Amino acid sequence: QVPMCWIRPLEVGQSHVLDEVTVTLLDSNHCPGSVMFLFEGAFGTILYTGDFRYTSSMQGEPLLRGRRIDRLYLDNTHCRPQLALPSRQLATLQAARLIRAHPRHHVVIGVYTLGKETLLVDLALEFSTWVVVSPWRLEQMRLLELPDVFTAQEGAGWIRAVDVAEIRWDTVVRWNSLHPTIAIVPTGRPVKVTHPNIHPIPYSDHSSFAELQEFVRWLKPCSVIPIVKGSECQDYFQEYLSSAPQVLPDFKAPKPLPESEQQQSQRKGQKPTCLWKRGLRRSVPRGVVFESPEKCTEKPETFTGVQVPQQNCEPAFCSKEGCTCHRQEKEREGLEAAGAAIVVGSAPVSKELFPTGFAEQYLLTPLNVLKQSSSRMFDRLVQDFFGRGE
């Protein structure tokens, strides 16, 4: 429900300058519309792959060929050496062989909202049959301008695409009570097979481990940062990294500013919890507030220095549980009960209270780098910050 006047579409393959940052969108070879982001600026060069499936044709991309990459945020979904994952072409052939082994069966393929469209098209052309889909998915296929192999007419074809959540024991039993049916689940993830007619196929829109190695070996970034939590994989790529120093600075604790004797005496004997509470009382609910779609009709020519209007609640755009205004009102009541002063449009923190460059450095630091710093160091930074605010 974001109004269109706040959305700025970017073309793939074209560089766009936003303030002092240049951003370029590159095709990520994932689901339709998926892109990688290339950021360039005073901070260096960052490539964020998002979900992507590497292919050797990416080496022909002029914006990446020979480019120094300071930090590569990498899709590490299948970053496990023990997981062998074939190319999508080989996985498609495997699905075709399975279908040929069941010539009298109907075929049901489980897919997500987006992704696996190429598999459906290839199988439809291979077996000269329509792929039956729901009416809303048919409209989606037409919007994607895919080949005309899809239909919403039941019984028009013997291959059907359904939501992957429908591939389970009871539905497969029901389908087979009407006609012999096999179900195919194209995925690179482990699948619990609950019926002998359910067949997982290792078809994935994410890069295999071997493809990730080839990609990093070719790109030679200064550092690799995984984007999937709980799956660290930097050790696998250390030998492929560039030895050049990164432009992006690593996070370092800023030197504390000198305090007056009065500030030191006030801080003496206080516990960290008191500092946290004092910081909370000074906080004000902050955030971007958008106008409702009905109010915002014109697209601004430039986004530089846009003043975001305050939100006026209307019954059509407000609910007691979800609306931002209700959340902010509850937080404001809690702050007032704690004796805090509510300041609307408060000025930014003075440079005297906040070390120069601390915010920029902190925000540009990846999470895994911040984790390397101890919690005690973080607590000390918080104490120093709020202590200087006295």
Side-chain angles (χ1 to χ4, degrees):
Q1 298 180 356
V2 177
M4 290 301 297
C5 61
W6 299 115
I7 297 176
R8 178 169 177 176
L10 303 179
E11 294 294 329
V12 176
Q14 296 182 9
S15 296
H16 305 265
V17 179
L18 306 177
D19 293 332
E20 297 180 357
V21 177
T22 300
V23 58
T24 308
L25 277 57
L26 306 173
D27 185 6
S28 68
N29 194 34
H30 185 64
C31 65
S34 58
V35 294
M36 300 184 288
F37 288 91
L38 181 67
F39 298 101
E40 303 168 87
F43 49 79
T45 303
I46 298 175
L47 177 63
Y48 188 94
T49 67
D51 290 346
F52 91 123
R53 182 80 195 245
Y54 168 76
T55 174
S56 57
S57 63
M58 290 181 179
Q59 297 190 18
E61 173 56 58
L63 290 169
L64 294 180
R65 191 169 57 243
R67 175 64 60 88
R68 170 200 170 104
I69 302 296
D70 291 289
R71 288 184 178 174
L72 170 64
Y73 288 82
L74 185 66
D75 175 12
N76 57 312
T77 300
H78 297 315
C79 189
R80 298 187 298 276
Q82 64 274 20
L83 178 61
L85 192 65
S87 66
R88 286 185 288 200
Q89 292 76 15
L90 290 177
T92 301
L93 293 177
Q94 186 174 340
R97 285 196 298 268
L98 175 64
I99 294 173
R100 288 195 183 92
H102 299 81
R104 300 179 183 276
H105 287 65
H106 286 176
V107 178
V108 179
I109 302 178
V111 294
Y112 297 102
T113 303
L114 276 176
K116 314 297 192 300
E117 290 83 7
T118 303
L119 172 65
L120 300 177
V121 172
D122 290 344
L123 293 178
L125 298 177
E126 176 71 20
F127 296 100
S128 301
T129 180
W130 292 97
V131 176
V132 181
V133 296
S134 63
W136 72 264
R137 194 182 291 273
L138 176 61
E139 180 63 23
Q140 177 177 280
M141 300 303 186
R142 289 173 176 170
L143 290 173
L144 295 174
E145 299 181 353
L146 294 174
D148 188 19
V149 298
F150 300 98
T151 180
Q153 182 180 348
E154 290 291 339
W158 49 272
I159 295 181
R160 186 152 48 101
V162 301
D163 189 275
V164 70
E166 294 187 43
I167 308 295
R168 56 183 189 271
W169 181 86
D170 57 325
T171 53
V172 174
V173 169
R174 176 164 52 84
W175 293 334
N176 276 274
S177 67
L178 302 174
H179 192 280
T181 303
I182 61 171
I184 295 177
V185 181
T187 179
R189 297 190 176 98
V191 176
K192 183 179 180 180
V193 177
T194 59
H195 193 281
N197 282 15
I198 297 179
H199 302 272
I201 295 293
Y203 186 104
S204 179
D205 287 329
H206 299 269
S207 304
S208 66
F209 179 77
E211 291 167 343
L212 292 176
Q213 279 190 310
E214 181 180 341
F215 181 60
V216 177
R217 185 189 300 114
W218 167 71
L219 201 60
K220 291 183 176 62
C222 296
S223 64
V224 173
I225 302 168
I227 63 176
V228 179
K229 295 181 179 179
S231 179
E232 304 295 328
C233 64
Q234 294 98 319
D235 293 342
Y236 297 130
F237 307 116
Q238 286 298 322
E239 60 180 305
Y240 309 131
L241 300 184
S242 171
S243 58
Q246 296 185 57
V247 174
L248 285 156
D250 288 329
F251 176 80
K252 295 180 181 178
K255 295 181 180 180
L257 297 177
E259 299 182 26
S260 64
E261 293 182 3
Q262 180 182 4
Q263 289 175 332
Q264 291 177 0
S265 62
Q266 288 176 342
R267 285 189 55 205
K268 187 175 296 185
Q270 286 184 323
K271 298 180 180 180
T273 52
C274 297
L275 296 172
W276 278 103
K277 290 179 180 178
R278 189 168 68 241
L280 178 63
R281 288 197 298 267
R282 272 204 294 264
S283 299
V284 179
R286 305 284 292 276
V288 178
V289 181
F290 296 104
E291 279 283 7
S292 67
E294 291 183 354
K295 287 185 178 181
C296 192
T297 56
E298 296 182 2
K299 181 177 180 180
E301 296 181 0
T302 176
F303 287 81
T304 304
V306 173
Q307 298 294 325
V308 182
Q310 295 294 326
Q311 184 182 37
N312 297 320
C313 267
E314 297 178 4
F317 298 95
C318 182
S319 64
K320 291 185 178 180
E321 296 181 358
C323 183
T324 305
C325 63
H326 285 281
R327 278 200 310 272
Q328 292 183 345
E329 185 63 30
K330 289 182 179 179
E331 294 177 6
R332 188 173 287 109
E333 291 174 358
L335 291 171
E336 290 175 341
I342 303 300
V343 182
V344 179
S346 58
V349 179
S350 169
K351 291 184 178 180
E352 297 178 356
L353 303 180
F354 205 61
T356 302
F358 178 82
E360 293 84 354
Q361 194 175 49
Y362 188 88
L363 292 175
L364 286 174
T365 302
L367 183 60
N368 66 313
V369 175
L370 290 177
K371 287 181 178 178
Q372 295 174 5
S373 301
S374 67
S375 59
R376 286 178 296 179
M377 177 184 294
F378 182 80
D379 291 339
R380 188 166 64 252
L381 290 175
V382 174
Q383 293 180 40
D384 292 342
F385 173 74
F386 288 122
R388 290 191 297 272
E390 291 291 343

